[in-house]
Amino acid sequence: MLLIKKFPLSKILKRSVCIGVGRKYMNTKISRELIFRKEISNTYCDLANIDIGMLSPQDLQYYTESKKYSSIDVNRLREADYCIIARQEGHPVHHSCISTSQYFEHPRKELAIDICANGGYVYNVKTETEYRGQGIALEVLKYIDRFATTEGIERIYADVDAKNHASKKLFQKSGYTICGILDYIQYGSLSFVINRGTKFYYNSYRILPFNIHLSKYRSSRRRRIQSDISECASVWQEQNRSVVLFGAGNHAEEVLEVESVRFSVSYAVDESTDKIGTTLSGGEVPVRPLDAISENPPDIVVICSRAFQQEMVTRVKEYDKFPRILTLYPTVGYE
């Protein structure tokens, strides 16, 4: 324990991860989330103008048609074990998801969670921006308490970004207490979670003599995409195909880590003005506006996004002579 007090954990983790790859530790990115837990009890709603209930077909239609939500966001609501909706004048203004499955694949973290018996996990908690500050989220958490008692749930967990003070205050006001800490570490292709206080994450390894566990983070997704797309890249090289990446974010960088892909990619396109004019893969791949696809048509466009995959496919198909489209989710394949 003296070691932890004398040397902050974040510095220890930075040094430990980077020593393994022979780089300076200052470039490592670390973010932290807090795990909250609550013993369930009955509470009652205090807002008369709020109607809280399960996701309805009308709610689902609203989220599907709304431009604020991607197809991935809508699928998360649809596929949740339970999706709680708060409505004001019949209009959805808040949603929260609950998982009671024994094995829960967290959609945002891509970490597998082993929920204890008679337990639940609250995630994807969001109030529409213009309705925040009215106590709606607090009333939804009260509703979840009442719902949990009817379903035999005795204990429920939630995760909050350590920098999100509003969310921390919300859960604490609702009776949740901090029971664990997650430190996310990312250095190049290395991604790990340091898990302290909680033991329900799969693929975790106990390190040091303290209650600290190390879990791999997102490695399975990265390996799947890179393995599948390397097979496609072999064909591209044999057939001398020109390839363009649509999206200049993390997915594009992960794809370009495959050496055979870099040889085939001519450029990347993006609709964000902040990214146009920049480069990917250490300056090798320029980022151009989306219209470059019509000006200099490639043979294949790779959609480098998960949340907006379907929307980006639609944008490419708007061109008169659109190229073949390769998507990464749920598996790598052509449209």
Side-chain angles (χ1 to χ4, degrees):
M1 189 60 70
L2 291 176
L3 179 64
I4 297 297
K5 288 183 178 179
K6 188 173 181 180
F7 301 103
L9 180 62
S10 60
K11 290 187 178 180
I12 293 174
L13 300 182
K14 286 180 179 180
R15 289 183 182 276
S16 300
V17 171
C18 295
I19 286 172
V21 294
R23 299 291 182 88
K24 293 182 179 179
Y25 69 86
M26 291 300 292
N27 294 327
T28 304
K29 296 180 181 179
I30 294 183
S31 60
R32 172 169 291 181
E33 286 192 356
L34 306 177
I35 300 297
F36 284 83
R37 181 181 67 196
K38 181 180 183 180
E39 305 295 333
I40 294 302
S41 60
N42 263 311
T43 51
Y44 298 93
C45 181
D46 297 326
L47 296 181
N49 63 334
I50 293 296
D51 170 42
I52 304 176
M54 293 296 171
L55 178 72
S56 69
Q58 291 76 20
D59 299 328
L60 194 58
Q61 182 179 1
Y62 164 78
Y63 287 116
T64 302
E65 296 176 351
S66 174
K67 295 182 178 179
K68 299 178 184 178
Y69 298 90
S70 69
S71 56
I72 296 296
D73 295 327
V74 176
N75 285 335
R76 286 176 181 172
L77 301 182
R78 182 189 292 113
E79 295 171 1
D81 289 346
Y82 302 98
C83 181
I84 312 299
I85 304 295
R87 309 174 190 85
Q88 195 172 72
E89 298 179 353
H91 175 73
V93 296
H94 174 101
H95 60 75
S96 292
C97 296
I98 308 173
S99 174
T100 56
S101 304
Q102 182 179 0
Y103 305 114
F104 168 49
E105 295 283 347
H106 199 300
R108 181 164 54 85
K109 296 184 181 61
E110 298 183 31
L111 283 168
I113 299 173
D114 184 5
I115 301 175
C116 60
N118 301 322
Y121 203 99
V122 176
Y123 65 102
N124 202 13
V125 178
K126 182 177 181 180
T127 303
E128 299 272 353
T129 305
E130 58 269 31
Y131 294 95
R132 293 176 183 173
Q134 301 179 25
I136 296 173
L138 182 61
E139 297 305 324
V140 170
L141 291 180
K142 290 180 181 179
Y143 178 92
I144 290 174
D145 275 7
R146 299 196 303 276
F147 167 78
T149 57
T150 64
E151 296 296 318
I153 299 173
E154 299 174 359
R155 181 177 298 164
I156 199 158
Y157 295 88
D159 57 82
V160 174
D161 189 318
K163 295 180 181 179
N164 192 334
H165 301 295
S167 290
K168 286 194 293 183
K169 185 177 179 180
L170 165 67
F171 280 96
Q172 288 172 331
K173 190 174 182 180
S174 185
Y176 287 73
T177 56
I178 297 174
C179 69
I181 298 174
L182 301 180
D183 284 304
Y184 293 82
I185 308 171
Q186 185 163 3
Y187 187 89
S189 60
L190 293 176
S191 299
F192 297 95
V193 174
I194 297 296
N195 173 13
R196 290 180 289 161
T198 55
K199 299 179 181 179
F200 47 68
Y201 287 93
Y202 282 142
N203 299 323
S204 64
Y205 305 90
R206 189 178 178 90
I207 59 173
L208 307 178
F210 314 111
N211 184 20
I212 299 177
H213 290 70
L214 178 66
S215 302
K216 287 190 175 182
Y217 174 53
R218 293 186 178 175
S219 57
S220 59
R221 174 186 61 80
R222 185 191 295 263
R223 285 199 304 269
R224 174 189 66 78
I225 291 176
Q226 293 181 343
S227 174
D228 291 349
I229 205 166
S230 64
E231 296 180 10
C232 297
S234 300
V235 177
W236 299 340
Q237 286 184 297
E238 290 176 5
Q239 300 177 355
N240 196 26
R241 301 293 188 185
S242 62
V243 180
V244 165
L245 306 182
F246 185 0
N250 292 334
H251 277 81
E253 291 286 6
E254 291 174 7
V255 167
L256 289 170
E257 287 177 6
V258 180
E259 187 175 359
S260 55
V261 173
R262 287 203 305 272
F263 286 124
S264 300
V265 173
S266 305
Y267 57 92
V269 294
D270 203 287
E271 295 185 288
S272 171
T273 54
D274 294 335
K275 295 178 179 179
I276 295 172
T278 62
T279 58
L280 297 173
S281 189
E284 296 180 11
V285 179
V287 181
R288 301 174 181 173
L290 182 59
D291 286 342
I293 291 178
S294 61
E295 297 169 1
N296 185 16
D299 298 311
I300 297 163
V301 170
V302 180
I303 305 298
C304 297
S305 174
R306 182 176 188 175
F308 296 98
Q309 176 173 278
Q310 195 53 51
E311 290 83 348
M312 294 165 78
V313 168
T314 302
R315 292 285 289 117
V316 174
K317 288 183 177 180
E318 290 175 355
Y319 293 97
D320 293 335
K321 296 182 179 179
F322 62 85
R324 292 192 73 186
I325 300 172
L326 184 78
T327 55
L328 305 180
Y329 294 95
T331 58
V332 173
Y334 291 100
E335 281 282 306

